[in-house]
Amino acid sequence: LFRSPYFANMLKVTAIFVCFSVVFQMLLGFLIALAVDQGAKRGMRTSIVTRTAVLSAWVIPGVIIGIIWSILYEQSAAGILNYVLGSIGLSVPFLTDPQVALASVTITNIWRGTAFSMILLYAGLQTLPEDVMEAAKVDGANAWQRLTHVVLPLLAPILFINLIVVSIETFNTFDMVLALTGGGPGRSTEVVALSIYNQIFQQFDLGQGAATAVLLLTINLLMTFVYVGFLERKEEVG
């Protein structure tokens, strides 16, 4: 596996895919959760609509998401995004240019995974003690200060759990990428999980496919041990 000419590129593609996906899933999930939480506290019905719209991305199977976004990304005039961009004289090779294809796949995964982060962080926001928030207001803290000095520190354990779970899920993303690009063009979007499938079922290279599967298992085990260790330490402190 280490002597393979494609190994380094696979790790690079996976690292870019996972890093950007996790960062923006957590960031967007937190912003949406915060907006929904504030809307619910103010009695805005649009918060329910927003929550439902975001959750819809979570319940759709990955293969279906890949097909839907492949229609959106279609480079011809039949593609919805290029049809809109064509009105200002632009045409973007979403799935045919290697660098743009990786960005397109990452954006699709961010759209798909933001819902999970939103659910977890929204639940965390519901558990924040109101007396602490009120005390911060009485002390003269503005909205930004309450967010950075009160909300985020209290949500730190949930943010950490969200980070680990989302990272594990993103490392194992397979179905969506398969339906969207199949790892192409070339190998520009071939992440570790998809590489295992291609090596075993497309190239029939069982040895290298099994070695790559052991690598993915090792990554999952390391993150799982970190997650379990954090929970055990939290129970001891509690």
Side-chain angles (χ1 to χ4, degrees), residues 110-227:
I110 292 171
W111 178 85
R112 177 193 188 186
T114 295
F116 178 79
S117 294
M118 188 274 287
I119 295 169
L120 200 59
L121 296 176
Y122 179 72
L125 289 172
Q126 302 304 302
T127 64
L128 295 182
E130 288 294 333
D131 55 342
V132 175
M133 302 300 295
E134 291 297 330
K137 289 182 181 179
V138 172
D139 290 340
N142 57 34
W144 175 253
Q145 291 172 331
R146 293 197 300 272
L147 176 64
T148 55
H149 293 87
V150 180
V151 175
L152 289 179
L154 290 175
L155 282 179
I158 297 178
L159 288 169
F160 180 77
I161 293 173
N162 188 18
L163 173 65
I164 298 298
V165 174
V166 169
S167 297
I168 293 175
E169 182 182 7
T170 306
F171 264 110
N172 290 274
T173 298
F174 158 75
D175 48 359
M176 184 204 71
V177 183
L178 177 65
L180 191 57
T181 64
R187 292 174 178 258
S188 60
T189 60
E190 189 179 69
V191 294
V192 172
L194 182 58
S195 178
I196 297 171
Y197 172 82
N198 287 337
Q199 289 167 8
I200 295 177
F201 295 103
Q202 300 294 328
Q203 304 166 16
F204 301 103
D205 190 347
L206 303 185
Q208 187 163 322
T212 309
V214 172
L215 172 65
L216 182 59
L217 174 63
T218 303
I219 295 172
N220 286 326
L221 285 175
L222 288 174
M223 290 189 291
T224 302
F225 287 147
V226 172
Y227 175 70

Side-chain angles (χ1 to χ4, degrees), residues 59-140:
V59 300
I60 299 175
V63 174
I64 304 300
I65 290 176
I67 294 173
I68 292 173
W69 279 83
S70 65
I71 297 173
L72 292 174
Y73 285 143
E74 177 67 41
Q75 191 168 347
S76 66
I80 297 175
L81 293 179
N82 271 316
Y83 176 80
V84 174
L85 293 173
S87 61
I88 56 176
L90 294 177
S91 178
V92 180
F94 288 107
L95 301 179
T96 55
D97 182 275
Q99 293 182 344
V100 179
L102 181 56
S104 301
V105 171
T106 304
I107 290 172
T108 303
N109 192 60
I110 292 171
W111 178 85
R112 177 193 188 186
T114 295
F116 178 79
S117 294
M118 188 274 287
I119 295 169
L120 200 59
L121 296 176
Y122 179 72
L125 289 172
Q126 302 304 302
T127 64
L128 295 182
E130 288 294 333
D131 55 342
V132 175
M133 302 300 295
E134 291 297 330
K137 289 182 181 179
V138 172
D139 290 340

Side-chain angles (χ1 to χ4, degrees), residues 4-58:
S4 171
Y6 307 111
F7 179 69
N9 180 71
M10 178 191 67
L11 289 183
K12 177 183 175 183
V13 169
T14 304
I16 295 173
F17 176 72
V18 171
C19 289
F20 281 93
S21 292
V22 170
V23 169
F24 283 99
Q25 281 179 22
M26 292 186 63
L27 177 61
L28 294 176
F30 177 71
L31 292 177
I32 296 173
L34 197 61
V36 170
D37 180 62
Q38 292 298 315
K41 289 179 179 178
R42 298 176 183 179
M44 299 174 63
R45 296 183 178 180
T46 52
S47 62
I48 300 177
V49 177
T50 303
R51 192 167 53 206
T52 304
V54 175
L55 283 174
S56 64
W58 192 41

